[in-house]
Amino acid sequence: MADSGELRAVLASIDREDPRLGTFLDVWPEEALARLPAASRLPLAGLPFAVKGPTGLRSYAARRLIAAGGVPVGSTSVPGPGTHWQTWGLGRHGRTVNPWRPDRTPGGSSAGSAAAVAAGLVPLATGSDGAGSVRIPAAWCGVFGLKTTNGLLPSPDRSGLASAGVLAASAAEAETYLRCVLDGYAGVSPVLPLSAAYSPDLGFAETEPEVAAVVRGAVRRLEAAGVVRLTEGFDLLDPAAAWLAVRGGDVRPPEAEVRAENDRRLDAFFARTPLLLTPVTPNRPHGHEGPGATFSTALTWAFNLSGHPAASVPAGFTGDGCPVGLQLVAARGRDAGLLGAAGAVERALWGPGEPFAQVRGRRG
C-alpha cells in the first residue's frame, strides 16, 4: 500500500540504484503518481509493481493488477541484442547485475524483475516462464518466483510452453498477485507434514555438488520442522530434446514419446504425492560472459512441457555468496496449494516475513 510520499520514495530508490543494477528499461514517475489517487481507493491501494519487458504493461496480469489498484512504476530488463542465451538482461543503464554478486548474472529472461525485487526496489514484478524464466532468476536473486499452471492465465506463446508468473519478496506477496489476476482464487492452508519426494537431479542433470548440498540441507530442515515427510525419490527422462522440438514446431516420435512418458510419470506421482522438490538450477549464477555449455534450464523446463505449476523458494547460499533456489512442483491447477506449501517452507527456513531480509546487507 502506498501514499504519495511512499511512492515517491520508491521512485527515488529506483533512480538512485538502477544505474548500478541495470534493472529497468523504462521508469514512469509521472504516470505512476497520476494513477495513485484513483488506485488508492481500490483493494491494492497503490501497491507499486514492475512489469517484465517493453510489452509488459499490456499483459493480462498487469491489466488486472492495475484494475485492482496496483501502480506500475516501470518495465524491467530482458535479454537484449548481442547474446543468444536467456539468463541475462539489458536495461537502460547497461547489463543487469545480480544484486548479491554484481559479477554474476541475475538469470532470465525475467532478469530485471528478479533483480528489482531482490534489491528492494519493488515488492513484486510480473514475469513469464517458458523454460524457467521466472524460477531461474528468482533462485539466483534470492526471491520467490512462481510459474503458474500452463493455460491458467492468458499467454501469447503459441507453443504452449510459456505461462504467466510473478517475482516477489515472499510467497505472501505472490499470493497478492494471484488473488488479483485469477478469478475465484481461494487460498489453501497446507496440512503438515506434506508428503514430498526430493530429487537432486531428476535422474539426468549434472547438479553442482555445492548447489545440491545447499538444497539438501534446506530439505533436511523442512523435515526436522515437520513441514515435509519424504517418500521415495523421483526421476524423469531428460526433456531437452522434447522442449527444443516443441519450441521449434517439429515434434517427431522420439521427442513425443519422451514427453508422453514424463507426463505418465508425473501423473502417477502427483496422484499419490502432493509435492516434488528439486534444486531450481543445477548450477550457481554464471558470469556475464555466459553459461558455456551448461543448461541452467535442466531442472525447470520439464514442467513447461508438462504444464505443472512450480515455484522457487530461497534455500541458502553457496560458499561464494550465490543464492540457491529450492523448486517446489505441484499437480496441475493446484497453484493455490503450491503457494500455501511455499509459505510454510519459507517460514520454516527463514522465519516470518521476507526470505533473506536479515542478510540483505550482504548485497554488493
Side-chain angles (χ1 to χ4, degrees):
M1 313 302 177
D3 59 26
S4 176
E6 291 166 336
L7 183 56
R8 289 181 186 277
V10 167
L11 294 166
S13 180
I14 294 171
D15 191 55
R16 181 176 62 252
E17 298 294 334
D18 195 45
R20 176 175 66 91
L21 297 170
T23 53
F24 280 88
L25 289 169
D26 200 8
V27 181
W28 310 310
E30 293 84 5
E31 295 91 332
L33 290 165
R35 288 181 188 272
L36 186 59
S40 64
R41 298 189 291 270
L42 296 169
L44 292 184
L47 180 77
F49 71 96
V51 299
K52 176 184 177 179
T55 62
L57 195 59
R58 300 197 298 270
S59 69
Y60 177 83
R63 297 197 308 269
R64 293 298 297 262
L65 289 169
I66 292 168
V71 173
V73 296
S75 61
T76 58
S77 66
V78 290
T83 177
H84 63 278
W85 62 88
Q86 297 297 302
T87 50
W88 201 74
L90 181 65
R92 58 180 179 161
H93 294 293
R95 70 186 182 192
T96 311
V97 305
N98 190 311
W100 294 94
R101 283 285 305 263
D103 62 325
R104 306 293 176 92
T105 177
S109 61
S110 305
S113 287
V117 172
L121 302 181
V122 288
L124 66 84
T126 65
S128 58
D129 190 314
S133 290
V134 164
R135 290 161 288 162
I136 292 169
W140 287 354
C141 290
V143 300
F144 181 81
L146 172 69
K147 179 197 89 70
T148 56
T149 296
N150 290 43
L152 184 69
L153 297 169
S155 169
D157 179 25
R158 294 182 179 180
S159 73
L161 293 170
S163 58
V166 62
L167 290 299
S170 66
E173 291 283 8
E175 189 166 43
T176 297
Y177 163 93
L178 210 56
R179 286 185 186 278
C180 292
V181 302
L182 185 61
D183 290 332
Y185 175 83
V188 174
S189 297
V191 178
L192 305 179
L194 290 163
S195 180
Y198 169 68
S199 175
D201 54 16
L202 288 177
F204 58 83
E206 297 182 3
T207 306
E208 288 182 19
E210 191 174 1
V211 169
V214 170
V215 176
R216 189 66 180 96
V219 172
R220 289 195 184 99
R221 289 159 62 193
L222 295 176
E223 285 187 280
V227 174
V228 300
R229 181 183 64 251
L230 290 187
T231 63
E232 71 281 0
F234 181 75
D235 290 344
L236 291 173
L237 301 178
D238 188 344
W243 187 95
L244 291 167
V246 172
R247 175 59 76 191
D250 183 21
V251 181
R252 303 189 181 196
E255 293 87 10
E257 179 52 35
V258 167
R259 187 179 193 181
E261 174 60 23
N262 280 348
D263 280 349
R264 286 191 287 268
R265 294 185 188 188
L266 286 162
D267 288 346
F269 174 82
F270 285 116
R272 64 181 186 271
T273 309
L275 201 61
L276 174 62
L277 306 174
T278 79
V280 174
T281 65
N283 54 318
R284 68 195 76 197
H286 57 75
H288 295 284
E289 71 283 355
T294 300
F295 277 112
S296 303
T297 54
L299 297 169
T300 53
W301 52 7
F303 309 111
N304 297 91
L305 278 168
S306 68
H308 290 81
S312 175
V313 174
F317 294 89
T318 57
D320 58 353
C322 293
V324 174
L326 166 65
Q327 180 170 226
L328 284 65
V329 188
R332 297 181 194 91
R334 300 293 179 87
D335 299 63
L338 178 61
L339 275 178
V345 166
E346 283 183 350
R347 289 188 292 273
L349 294 179
W350 304 106
E354 181 183 330
F356 286 1
Q358 67 270 39
V359 289
R360 268 211 164 146
R362 288 177 51 182
R363 284 201 308 264

